[in-house]
Amino acid sequence: MQLTHSGRYARPSVHDRPEPLAGAAHPVLDRRFPNGVHVLSDAELDRLVDDFIAAARRAFDCGYQFVDVKACHGYLGHEMLGARSRPGKYGGSLENRSRFMRQVIEGVRTESPDLEIVVRL
């Protein structure tokens, strides 16, 4: 089962209306969205970590043997790894930039220890 968040390419309300939810501001990519980009707060990212963990638990309960946590191709996990200019606990240093993915992985291991985890970078 793939676990992912589309980040700045999210369309949560209507399939043909982008509602970007970015991990960090990006001067080039943000230009693609004339209505602006919502940069997720640390609290919103904390809730998303919990959502990923809950989704992994549901996948395990449904019989899946592993989850594929996406950190590639521009997904939110990928964007967080490059959030050098982001302030707060999810940006700047490598430790902070990898915090989102580490918390997801650690949470899945704790909540569903028999579920295998794959991460695409």
Side-chain angles (χ1 to χ4, degrees), residues 1-119:
M1 167 73 70
Q2 289 185 355
L3 299 181
T4 188
H5 186 289
S6 297
R8 74 178 58 250
Y9 303 105
R11 297 169 186 259
S13 300
V14 181
H15 79 285
D16 62 350
R17 187 179 73 223
E19 295 179 42
L21 301 168
H26 191 290
V28 175
L29 297 177
D30 291 351
R31 284 188 229 152
R32 298 178 70 185
F33 304 99
N35 294 330
V37 174
H38 173 74
V39 175
L40 296 162
S41 69
D42 286 355
E44 288 171 312
L45 288 168
D46 290 341
R47 286 191 295 276
L48 282 172
V49 167
D50 293 339
D51 290 345
F52 270 73
I53 295 166
R57 181 63 191 184
R58 279 190 224 98
F60 181 74
D61 290 345
C62 288
Y64 286 88
Q65 297 175 350
F66 75 94
V67 290
D68 177 8
V69 183
K70 296 291 191 180
C72 59
H73 307 305
Y75 289 114
L76 182 63
H78 175 229
E79 185 171 325
M80 296 309 302
L81 292 172
R84 290 178 180 85
S85 64
R86 180 191 171 88
K89 70 180 186 179
Y90 288 107
S93 69
L94 179 59
E95 179 180 357
N96 287 356
R97 289 182 284 131
S98 63
R99 184 180 314 275
F100 180 82
M101 291 303 297
R102 286 184 293 110
Q103 287 181 330
V104 168
I105 293 165
E106 290 165 8
V108 171
R109 282 187 177 151
T110 299
E111 292 293 318
S112 304
D114 294 327
L115 186 66
E116 298 292 329
I117 303 168
V118 175
V119 178

